């Protein structure tokens, strides 16, 4: 006869009987869903909509319906559940499986030997009428006694545990026979810390979900009614096995909602699922493992560390705060909170007595005050021993940390620890009060693996690297980007999106504006919406002025948001140019700026502030423009149009002047006039003006073709050096000082990480008139 085992320790039993094919194992909850009824996401959706509740509440309703019979109750809440149950039955939204009950006749049903409430006793009685029902025999009935170790704090307790583990390992106990239990997040965080200090691998039961991962956030960002389109977009962004695993979890979640054609209806439900779906955590094959205390099925070869056996924590005290209160549970034949607590005391005490190798510990204080030993030990009379952590034979790193603490006590409070001399003798060359902030080079092979043998550079990342290699490492490799004002970034994206559309024949300001707002994909506050309306009016003025400037130009063809990728062996350099105006043989480059434009080319020699030269480099590698003459390259400030008024200048004139192009123009007037017919006293380029003798004024930024080519060659050299040095893992702390300005530290947010000292700063020659070009050749 086949066997059906009902247990809360399903995985444990699966390992035990994996060779037996005539055994079926179910948890009690799984059994109830087959024996009484089950539900799915469509049921949850119906309850949410019909009763106007969130998903969490809908599931509470449904999980408690299983205990409600088809009858009216004197209790209002139970009657409410009864009405919901009838409603779902009438709409065929509960899943019944009559075949399951019929098939039970083929099985001997084996249950755990434990207290059962009236609800379960009634089920067991019914099962006995159709098949054989038995209870598992208790494998152990021992009366082991143990010691309890007392620590002042959780940290002392964890240190003690690791020293004890070291003792066991020295006694040739297999690490796979060592376990931890009764952990909370405080203990887990401390165990992670001391696992590193003692070099002892530990597998903990993590509750990290997939919600915060990049792949899930991309899924939410691109979420739409046609979920297949969303999944197709996200699929293209998978670059690792972990991301593939998360993507498969997303698909499994989406498949639960295949009954709807419009996935926007269930977006909140899917996001809730994502928040409650655990990540697949990689486990050490050989390690200490965390397990549950009850029904752990340990043998006499196993060692179990039971931490935090404090009152209310071991066992945890069940309170009368569930959706169904104790009175309602009594009506349904369920255990009350008091009965659960009483049962747990018996079960926990039996488990303590049945396990041979237990190391039990507790703490006497935490951040909230004093703590006490669990009253479960009142009748057990286990002896209590104070923890002694004066053990310095298991971890050099721990010893060095303790030495630093003892030295702190001595230097600050004149307290001499009895072990200070011992540790000073063992570590005479300690680094106390010494700090080496220098970058210790990582293995380039490991870096290449991390980068998957492919590196993409852009203007901003190369600029970061040349300002300070370590700054680039933190920002672009480790990606320790700090939070920035998202609204400012959103404004820039909105402006760029609209300006990209202004040359379309069917351009409509309102349509383009609303489309740009939708691409931001977030709700704006009332304050932000107020400013956005002001900025929209400002943008209308800007667009009109840009079109007025276009009237002065013969370069009538335009490319917008032009992306250019240039391969370098296995790597590539990429960039985007907001606008290229061109004809059959000439072009001009214009990039919109919503911040302060920097058109200084004097630091180009060091690879710093190369934005404009990089645009030259990109456009010269564009297959369409390799033989074109460059009339000019500019930045156009499209947001900061509120500069100081000059005498006799009105606000409109001021705004128009601020919208003039800022950058460099070719000194060849035959090419320049194609871009700007007003070049002799320009109405579109800032400071561009000629004298009566047709010479350009000294403050007119004009440049010859040789200098342009030299700048392009400089950029090429800087890009090649950047790729070479980055792939060689050269990430020194070396901020560049040019004149009075520390360009490497300007706008850097990592000062609290690098601890830059004077010796780290690299002083460079300051140039003011491109003098370095004298040493450049074609």
């Amino acid at each position: 006869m086949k066997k059906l085992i009902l247990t809360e320790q399903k995985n444990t039993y699966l390992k035990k009987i994996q060779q037996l094919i005539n055994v079926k194992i179910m948890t009690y909850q799984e059994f109830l869903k087959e024996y009484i009824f089950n539900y799915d996401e469509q049921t949850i959706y119906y309850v949410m909509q019909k009763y106007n509740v969130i998903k969490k509440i809908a599931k509470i309703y449904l999980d408690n319906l299983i205990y409600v019979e088809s009858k009216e109750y004197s209790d209002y809440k139970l009657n409410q559940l009864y009405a919901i149950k009838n409603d779902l039955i009438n709409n065929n939204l509960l899943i019944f499986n009559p075949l399951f009950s019929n098939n039970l006749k083929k099985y001997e049903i084996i249950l755990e030997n434990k207290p059962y409430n009236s609800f379960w006793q009634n089920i067991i009685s019914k099962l006995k009428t159709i098949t054989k029902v038995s209870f598992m025999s208790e494998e152990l009935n021992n009366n082991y006694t143990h010691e309890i170790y007392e620590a002042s704090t959780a940290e002392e307790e964890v240190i003690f545990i690791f020293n004890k583990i070291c003792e066991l390992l020295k006694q040739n106990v297999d690490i796979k026979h060592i376990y931890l239990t009764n952990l909370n997040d405080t203990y887990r965080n401390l165990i992670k810390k001391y696992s590193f200090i003692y070099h002892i691998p530990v597998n903990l039961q993590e509750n990290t979900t997939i919600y915060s991962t990049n792949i899930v956030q991309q899924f939410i960002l691109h979420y739409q009614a046609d979920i297949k389109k969303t999944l197709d977009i996200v699929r293209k962004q998978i670059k690792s096995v972990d991301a593939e695993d998360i993507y498969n979890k997303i698909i499994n979640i989406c498949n639960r909602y295949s009954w709807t054609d419009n996935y926007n209806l269930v977006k909140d439900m899917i996001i809730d699922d994502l928040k409650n779906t655990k990540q697949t955590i990689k486990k050490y094959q050989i390690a200490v493992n965390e397990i549950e205390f009850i029904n752990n099925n340990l043998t006499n070869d196993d060692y179990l560390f039971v931490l935090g056996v404090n009152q209310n924590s071991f066992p945890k005290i069940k309170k009368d705060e569930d959706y169904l209160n104790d009175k309602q549970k009594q009506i349904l034949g369920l255990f009350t909170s008091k009965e659960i607590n009483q049962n747990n005391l018996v079960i926990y005490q039996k488990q303590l007595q049945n396990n041979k190798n237990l190391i039990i510990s507790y703490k006497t204080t935490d951040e909230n005050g004093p703590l006490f030993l669990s009253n479960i030990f009142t009748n057990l009379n286990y002896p209590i021993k104070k923890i002694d952590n004066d053990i310095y034979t298991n971890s050099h790193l721990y010893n060095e940390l303790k030495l630093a603490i003892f030295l702190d006590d001595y230097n600050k409070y004149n307290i001499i620890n009895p072990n200070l001399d011992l540790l000073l003798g063992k570590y005479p060359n300690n680094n106390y009060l010494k700090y080496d902030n220098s970058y210790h080079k990582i293995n380039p092979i490991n870096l290449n693996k991390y980068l998957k043998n492919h590196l993409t550079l852009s203007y901003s990342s190369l600029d970061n690297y040349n300002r300070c290699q370590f700054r680039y490492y933190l920002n672009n490799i480790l990606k320790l980007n700090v939070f920035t004002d998202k609204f400012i970034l959103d404004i820039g994206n909105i402006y760029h999106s609209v300006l990209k559309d202004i040359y379309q024949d069917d351009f409509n300001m309102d349509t383009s504006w609303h489309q740009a707002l939708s691409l931001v994909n977030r709700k704006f506050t009332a304050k932000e919406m107020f400013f956005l309306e002001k900025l929209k009016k400002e943008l209308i003025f800007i667009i009109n002025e840009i079109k007025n400037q276009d009237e002065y130009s013969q370069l009538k063809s335009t490319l917008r948001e032009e992306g250019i990728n240039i391969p370098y062996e296995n790597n590539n350099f990429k960039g985007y140019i907001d606008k290229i105006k061109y004809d059959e043989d000439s072009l001009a480059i214009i990039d919109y700026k919503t911040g302060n434009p920097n058109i200084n080319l004097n630091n180009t020699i060091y690879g710093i502030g190369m934005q404009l030269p990089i645009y030259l480099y990109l456009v010269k590698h564009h297959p369409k423009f390799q033989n074109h003459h460059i009339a000019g390259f500019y930045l156009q400030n499209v947001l900061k149009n509120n500069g100081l008024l000059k005498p006799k200048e009105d606000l409109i004139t001021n705004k128009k002047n601020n919208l003039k192009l800022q950058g460099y123009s070719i000194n060849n007037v035959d090419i320049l006039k194609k871009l700007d017919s007003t070049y002799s006293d320009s109405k579109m380029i800032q400071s561009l003006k000629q004298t009566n003798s047709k010479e350009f004024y000294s403050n007119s930024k004009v440049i010859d073709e040789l200098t342009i080519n030299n700048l392009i060659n400089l950029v090429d050299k800087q890009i090649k050096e950047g790729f070479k040095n980055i792939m060689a893992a050269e990430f020194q702390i070396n901020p560049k000082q040019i004149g009075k300005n520390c360009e490497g530290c300007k706008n850097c947010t990592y000062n609290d990480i690098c601890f830059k000292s004077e010796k780290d700063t690299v002083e460079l020659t300051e140039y003011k008139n491109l003098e370095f070009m004298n040493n450049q050749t074609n």
Side-chain angles (χ1 to χ4, degrees):
M1 192 175 188
K2 296 180 181 179
K3 297 181 186 294
L4 170 60
I5 297 176
L6 295 187
T7 176
E8 295 298 352
Q9 302 297 317
K10 181 177 177 179
N11 291 335
T12 301
Y13 280 94
L14 281 172
K15 291 176 184 177
K16 278 188 171 185
I17 61 167
Q18 55 188 342
Q19 304 299 324
L20 303 179
I21 60 174
N22 287 327
V23 176
K24 183 179 182 67
I25 302 174
M26 300 181 78
T27 65
Y28 290 95
Q29 201 61 34
E30 288 171 344
F31 178 83
L32 290 179
K33 287 180 178 180
E34 296 293 335
Y35 185 68
I36 301 179
F37 69 78
N38 200 356
Y39 61 85
D40 59 15
E41 275 66 24
Q42 193 168 2
T43 317
I44 299 171
Y45 178 77
Y46 177 86
V47 174
M48 290 172 64
Q49 300 301 312
K50 177 74 179 283
Y51 299 98
N52 193 30
V53 294
I54 61 174
K55 184 178 180 182
K56 181 180 179 181
I57 302 301
K59 283 179 63 64
I60 289 174
Y61 287 170
L62 290 165
D63 288 338
N64 283 285
L65 287 186
I66 209 160
Y67 307 114
V68 175
E69 297 182 51
S70 295
K71 66 177 186 180
E72 292 191 7
Y73 294 87
S74 57
D75 183 270
Y76 171 77
K77 188 179 285 185
L78 297 182
N79 261 342
Q80 185 184 32
L81 290 177
Y82 165 66
I84 294 173
K85 185 174 182 179
N86 276 347
D87 181 20
L88 296 175
I89 291 172
N90 293 335
N91 285 281
N92 296 316
L93 287 167
L94 294 181
I95 303 168
F96 295 96
N97 185 4
L99 292 177
F100 180 76
S101 295
N102 292 331
N103 286 334
L104 287 178
K105 300 173 184 177
K106 303 175 183 177
Y107 289 90
E108 176 189 353
I109 301 174
I110 305 173
L111 297 95
E112 290 175 324
N113 196 343
K114 67 175 187 177
Y116 287 93
N117 55 40
S118 299
F119 172 81
W120 265 101
Q121 287 174 5
N122 185 43
I123 290 175
I124 293 169
S125 296
K126 291 179 181 177
L127 293 174
K128 286 180 177 179
T129 63
I130 60 173
T131 188
K132 181 180 178 182
V133 177
S134 60
F135 295 89
M136 299 176 196
S137 60
E138 293 192 55
E139 296 181 10
L140 297 174
N141 191 19
N142 300 310
N143 191 21
Y144 292 115
T145 60
H146 308 283
E147 294 177 324
I148 301 174
Y149 293 91
E150 179 186 287
S152 297
T153 64
E155 186 155 15
E156 280 191 20
E157 196 177 348
V158 170
I159 294 168
F160 164 77
I161 296 305
F162 274 92
N163 281 321
K164 277 289 185 182
I165 292 173
C166 288
E167 284 182 26
L168 293 175
L169 296 176
K170 290 174 183 177
Q171 295 168 15
N172 295 321
V173 174
D174 191 330
I175 193 171
K176 290 188 287 186
H177 287 291
I178 302 174
Y179 300 91
L180 307 173
T181 193
N182 199 47
L183 306 181
N184 57 25
D185 287 342
T186 298
Y187 281 116
R188 289 190 184 96
N189 289 332
L190 287 169
I191 287 166
K192 288 177 185 176
K193 171 183 174 180
Y194 284 96
S195 171
F196 171 78
I197 290 173
Y198 280 82
H199 300 289
I200 295 175
V202 180
N203 290 323
L204 296 171
Q205 295 175 359
E206 304 280 0
N207 290 316
T208 308
T209 72
I210 64 174
Y211 179 74
S212 61
T213 60
N214 180 62
I215 204 80
V216 169
Q217 291 305 306
Q218 289 298 315
F219 172 79
I220 294 171
L221 178 65
H222 297 288
Y223 193 99
Q224 53 188 296
D226 186 349
I227 206 68
K228 187 178 183 304
K229 291 182 179 178
T230 305
L231 292 169
D232 287 343
I233 294 171
V234 175
R235 183 74 183 88
K236 295 174 183 176
Q237 302 184 42
I238 295 174
K239 296 179 180 178
S240 69
V241 175
D242 290 341
E244 180 83 39
D245 179 64
I246 294 170
Y247 178 76
N248 290 333
K249 291 181 189 291
I250 295 172
I251 291 177
N252 290 336
I253 290 171
C254 293
N255 285 340
R256 299 177 201 159
Y257 300 88
S258 57
W259 43 268
T260 181
D261 293 327
N262 182 359
Y263 270 74
N264 279 334
L265 297 175
V266 295
K267 182 177 180 180
D268 290 342
M269 295 178 69
I270 287 180
I271 289 177
D272 184 79
D273 289 340
L274 295 169
K275 289 179 178 179
N276 289 285
T277 301
K278 292 183 180 180
Q279 286 191 45
T280 302
I281 305 297
K282 292 180 179 178
K283 301 281 189 181
Y284 297 108
Q285 289 187 339
I286 301 175
V288 175
N289 286 283
E290 179 186 357
I291 60 171
E292 298 297 327
F293 178 69
I294 299 300
N295 296 324
N296 50 48
N297 292 292
L298 297 180
T299 70
N300 287 342
D301 293 327
D302 296 317
Y303 290 79
L304 179 62
F305 288 86
V306 189
L307 288 76
V309 294
N310 291 91
Q311 185 67 25
N312 299 333
S313 299
F314 184 84
K316 290 182 174 62
I317 300 299
K318 178 72 175 175
K319 296 180 181 179
D320 184 11
E321 55 189 12
D322 291 341
Y323 172 71
L324 295 177
N325 61 36
D326 281 350
K327 185 178 178 181
Q328 291 157 345
K329 288 178 181 177
Q330 277 185 319
I331 295 173
L332 296 177
L334 305 176
F335 282 137
T336 64
S337 56
K338 183 179 179 180
E339 289 169 331
I340 291 172
N341 290 330
Q342 290 172 341
N343 290 336
N344 279 342
L345 282 174
V346 174
I347 294 169
Y348 272 61
Q349 183 170 321
K350 186 179 293 186
Q351 192 76 4
L352 286 167
Q353 293 172 318
N354 275 336
N355 280 279
K356 179 181 179 183
N357 301 312
L358 292 185
I359 298 93
I360 305 169
S361 60
Y362 78 108
K363 55 187 178 292
T364 57
T365 59
D366 68 3
E367 65 275 9
N368 297 315
L371 298 171
F372 304 96
L373 182 66
S374 172
N375 60 10
I376 196 174
F377 298 101
T378 302
N379 298 323
L380 292 174
N381 296 318
Y382 290 170
I384 297 176
K385 295 180 64 175
K386 293 269 189 181
I387 280 175
D388 177 14
N389 280 335
D390 287 337
I391 299 171
Y392 305 103
T393 56
N394 295 321
S395 167
H396 288 296
L397 181 54
Y398 173 77
N399 296 348
E400 290 171 327
L401 289 171
K402 291 298 289 185
L403 174 58
I405 292 171
F406 296 159
L407 288 170
D408 275 346
D409 288 341
Y410 175 71
N411 289 322
K412 294 178 181 178
Y413 312 111
N414 203 30
I415 297 172
I416 301 176
N417 188 282
N419 294 299
L420 178 58
D421 288 340
L422 170 69
L423 292 178
L424 278 174
K426 191 169 184 178
Y427 302 99
N429 299 318
N430 67 85
N431 291 318
Y432 181 72
L433 293 183
K434 299 173 185 176
Y435 178 67
D436 178 14
N437 74 319
S438 61
Y439 161 73
H440 296 275
K441 189 170 182 178
I442 58 177
N443 190 328
I445 295 174
N446 294 336
L447 176 66
N448 275 263
K449 287 180 181 177
Y450 174 75
L451 296 173
K452 296 182 173 57
N453 297 311
H454 178 79
L455 176 66
T456 296
L457 281 180
S458 62
Y459 157 68
S460 59
S461 59
L462 184 61
D463 187 70
N464 249 352
Y465 186 77
N466 289 326
R467 287 178 186 273
C468 174
Q469 294 177 354
F470 194 67
R471 172 176 173 170
Y472 170 88
Y473 176 62
L474 297 177
N475 194 82
N476 298 85
I477 300 295
L478 299 183
K479 302 188 186 304
L480 303 181
N481 316 61
V482 296
F483 174 79
T484 55
D485 190 336
K486 195 172 189 312
F487 184 57
I488 299 298
L489 296 176
D490 289 339
I491 292 170
N493 291 332
I494 291 166
Y495 264 47
H496 276 80
S497 179
V498 175
L499 290 169
K500 172 176 63 70
D501 297 340
I502 65 175
Y503 291 100
Q504 295 176 357
D505 293 337
D506 58 349
F507 172 72
N508 178 279
M509 179 63 192
D510 289 331
T511 302
S512 185
W513 179 261
H514 288 300
Q515 183 178 358
L517 291 181
S518 68
L519 291 174
V520 172
N521 195 37
R522 78 174 177 94
K523 291 182 179 179
F524 293 101
T525 65
K527 178 181 176 181
E528 290 171 338
M529 286 304 299
F530 171 80
F531 283 112
L532 282 171
E533 286 302 313
K534 297 284 186 184
L535 290 167
K536 180 182 178 183
K537 292 177 182 177
E538 196 67 28
L539 184 54
I540 293 171
F541 177 88
I542 291 166
I543 291 169
N544 289 333
E545 182 57 22
I546 288 174
K547 291 188 174 180
N548 287 337
Q549 292 176 355
D550 287 341
E551 295 298 317
Y552 306 127
S553 179
Q554 300 172 33
L555 303 178
K556 298 300 183 184
S557 297
T558 308
L559 288 180
R560 287 95 63 196
E561 288 282 336
E562 187 68 5
I564 303 170
N565 277 292
I566 302 166
Y568 275 87
E569 297 178 354
N570 293 329
N571 308 309
N572 70 299
F573 187 88
K574 72 174 183 178
Y576 291 88
I577 302 177
D578 288 337
K579 183 164 66 177
I580 303 173
K581 296 175 64 65
Y582 67 97
D583 63 8
E584 66 280 355
D585 61 7
S586 302
L587 65 84
I589 302 165
I590 300 169
D591 196 72
Y592 302 124
K593 297 295 289 184
T594 52
N596 293 320
N598 175 24
I599 59 172
N600 179 16
L601 300 181
N602 285 297
N603 294 335
T604 304
I605 185 66
Y606 306 121
I608 295 172
M610 294 196 303
Q611 186 168 18
L612 285 173
I614 278 177
Y615 290 147
L616 293 173
Y617 176 79
L618 290 171
V619 83
K620 275 299 184 180
H621 281 79
H622 194 295
K624 191 180 185 73
F625 302 121
Q626 290 181 356
N627 296 315
H628 275 58
H629 297 289
I630 294 173
F633 46 104
Y634 311 94
L635 302 176
Q636 186 168 30
N637 192 337
V638 294
L639 189 55
K640 191 177 179 182
N641 295 311
N642 57 347
L644 294 174
L645 294 176
K646 296 176 183 178
K648 298 181 182 180
E649 183 181 58
D650 61 26
L651 180 61
I652 299 301
T653 303
N654 174 258
K655 289 166 68 173
K656 287 184 176 183
N657 285 336
N658 282 328
L659 280 167
K660 285 184 176 181
L661 305 180
Q662 300 179 51
Y664 294 83
S665 308
I666 192 71
N667 63 358
N668 186 331
V669 295
D670 291 330
I671 300 172
L672 181 57
K673 68 183 179 183
K674 286 189 170 187
L675 168 63
D676 179 12
S677 60
T678 68
Y679 68 89
S680 60
D681 189 6
S682 181
K683 295 181 180 180
M684 66 183 293
I685 301 170
Q686 214 171 80
S687 303
L688 186 64
K689 190 175 182 179
Q690 285 185 321
T691 63
N692 292 333
S693 59
K694 301 302 180 183
E695 298 290 330
F696 285 104
Y697 277 91
S698 59
N699 61 340
S700 296
K701 290 183 169 54
V702 291
I703 197 168
D704 58 36
E705 194 165 344
L706 175 62
T707 302
I708 288 176
N709 289 332
N710 284 339
L711 285 171
I712 293 171
N713 291 335
L714 259 180
V715 170
D716 184 65
K717 177 183 176 183
Q718 289 292 342
I719 291 174
K720 288 176 179 175
E721 285 186 4
F723 276 120
K724 175 186 173 183
N725 292 333
I726 291 170
M727 297 308 282
E730 297 292 345
F731 302 122
Q732 302 298 328
I733 300 172
N734 59 355
K736 310 305 188 300
Q737 177 87 24
I738 303 177
K740 295 181 180 179
N741 298 318
C742 186
E743 298 292 342
C745 296
K746 187 183 292 184
N747 301 322
C748 181
T749 56
Y750 302 112
N751 290 328
D752 55 346
I753 296 178
C754 78
F755 293 98
K756 176 201 74 174
S757 62
E758 188 176 345
K759 67 178 175 58
D760 298 315
T761 303
V762 178
E763 295 190 10
L764 301 173
T765 302
E766 182 178 16
Y767 295 103
K768 296 187 177 179
N769 296 300
L770 302 182
E771 304 95 310
F772 57 84
M773 282 298 176
N774 297 331
N775 299 323
Q776 301 297 311
T777 58
N778 278 328

